[in-house]
């Protein structure tokens, strides 16, 4: 089957929650949820991205909706490949084979998972596939000089994984990759309402609550929100009012695990690099960086300066794009292939 894609080189942030594509000369050309709706009997893809997201919780039994990536790794190879192919076709300006593709992956990725990502890109038409660790791409995307002999600490909180790394001399010196991130926070909110209020809420509702009123520290002015769901006792729709205090309580465990992972990595950091981090502080990126007060929470727990990256959601794909534009300059930061 001849697959034809754009001639332009592309960089891809293939995330658990969202897929972003950066195209040479154009910048970010796609930012959509990593979600697919397909026919459950034939596996024929019906919708991807925003279209599939709008269908969540509203489909009949013949339509299945999944995220083909879980915890930063490909969970359903066939569907992931179809999603990737569709996304790249969507941003195509012509129908010639792609030459180079740079894809960001979690720093804790296994060899099997690396192969799955490479194969998905190659089967979607790419001629040359390069992998880069997410924290490295994120650091480059927010403007850190990763080549210098100075320690930089980055915390990238995505949908499926939180990637924490100390970077110096074009490499990751120490890193921690935990499968606690935005998705776990969303699940924690759903669980809170089920256990404490006997109300079942959907994933989209939990995500909206997290973004609207979720926080890691007490707010100057606490917020209230109306939450609608299904009563688990009566089975009928019900609405309750929840406050940001309730949601902070719901998020306490995943937030604590992320903070603990940062503290663990600081303990493992060589002393010379620790002194650099003391001066420079910690940079946080990814969608999780937008959780209200997370920077303040890390500041209190570590006694270090903590900065939120500009446009944290796109840091990884912008970094992968910079690498793609200057592949020879950044060749040392790419993940070495064991395949060839």
């Amino acid at each position: 089957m001849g697959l034809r894609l754009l001639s332009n080189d592309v960089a891809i942030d293939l995330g658990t929650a969202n897929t972003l594509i950066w195209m040479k000369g154009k910048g970010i050309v796609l930012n959509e949820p990593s979600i697919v709706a397909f026919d459950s009997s034939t596996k024929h893809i019906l919708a991807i991205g925003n279209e599939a997201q709008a269908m969540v919780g509203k489909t009949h039994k013949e339509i299945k909706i999944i995220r083909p990536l879980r915890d930063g790794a490909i969970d359903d190879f066939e569907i992931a490949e179809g999603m990737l192919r569709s996304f790249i076709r969507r941003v195509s300006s012509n129908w010639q084979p792609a030459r180079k593709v740079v894809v960001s992956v979690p720093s804790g990725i296994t060899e099997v998972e690396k192969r799955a990502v490479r194969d998905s890109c190659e089967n979607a038409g790419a001629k040359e596939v390069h992998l880069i660790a997410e924290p490295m791409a994120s650091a480059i995307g927010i403007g850190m000089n990763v080549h210098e002999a100075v320690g930089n600490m980055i915390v990238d909180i995505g949908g499926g994984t939180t990637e924490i790394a100390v970077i110096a001399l074009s490499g990751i010196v120490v890193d921690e990759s935990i499968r606690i991130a935005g998705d776990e926070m969303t699940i924690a909110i759903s669980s809170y309402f089920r256990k404490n209020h006997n109300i079942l809420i959907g994933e989209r509702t939990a995500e909206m609550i997290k973004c609207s009123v979720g926080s890691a520290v007490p707010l100057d002015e606490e917020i209230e929100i109306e939450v609608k769901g299904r009563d688990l006792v009566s089975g009928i729709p019900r609405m309750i009012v929840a406050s940001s205090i309730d949601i902070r309580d719901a998020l306490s465990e995943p937030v604590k695990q992320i903070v603990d992972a940062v503290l663990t990595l600081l303990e493992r950091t060589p002393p010379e690099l620790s002194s650099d981090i003391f001066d420079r502080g910690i940079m946080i990126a990814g969608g999780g960086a937008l959780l209200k007060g997370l920077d303040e929470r890390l500041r209190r727990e570590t006694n270090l300066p903590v900065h939120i990256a500009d446009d944290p959601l796109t840091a990884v794909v912008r970094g992968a794009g910079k690498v793609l534009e200057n592949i020879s300059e950044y060749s040392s930061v790419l993940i070495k292939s064991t395949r060839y």
Side-chain angles (χ1 to χ4, degrees), residues 46 53 81 90 144 213 241 270 287 322 324:
L46 304 171
Q53 181 77 42
E81 189 182 303
R90 189 178 291 179
M144 288 181 174
V213 301
V241 175
K322 280 187 187 177
L324 184 65

Side-chain angles (χ1 to χ4, degrees), residues 301-313:
E301 299 272 359
T302 63
N303 291 316
L304 294 170
V306 178
H307 315 283
I308 299 175
D310 292 332
D311 196 7
L313 282 163

Side-chain angles (χ1 to χ4, degrees), residues 3-11 21-26 29 88-102 124-128 324:
L3 300 175
R4 301 164 299 165
L5 302 177
L6 64 165
S7 59
N8 307 69
D9 299 336
V10 295
I21 297 181
W22 180 98
M23 188 183 288
K24 205 166 184 176
K26 293 185 179 180
V29 290
I88 300 178
R89 278 182 171 173
R90 189 178 291 179
V91 301
S92 302
S93 54
N94 53 47
W95 295 96
Q96 297 302 313
R99 290 183 296 122
K100 288 193 195 80
V101 175
V102 173
K127 300 296 178 190
E128 192 179 317
L324 184 65

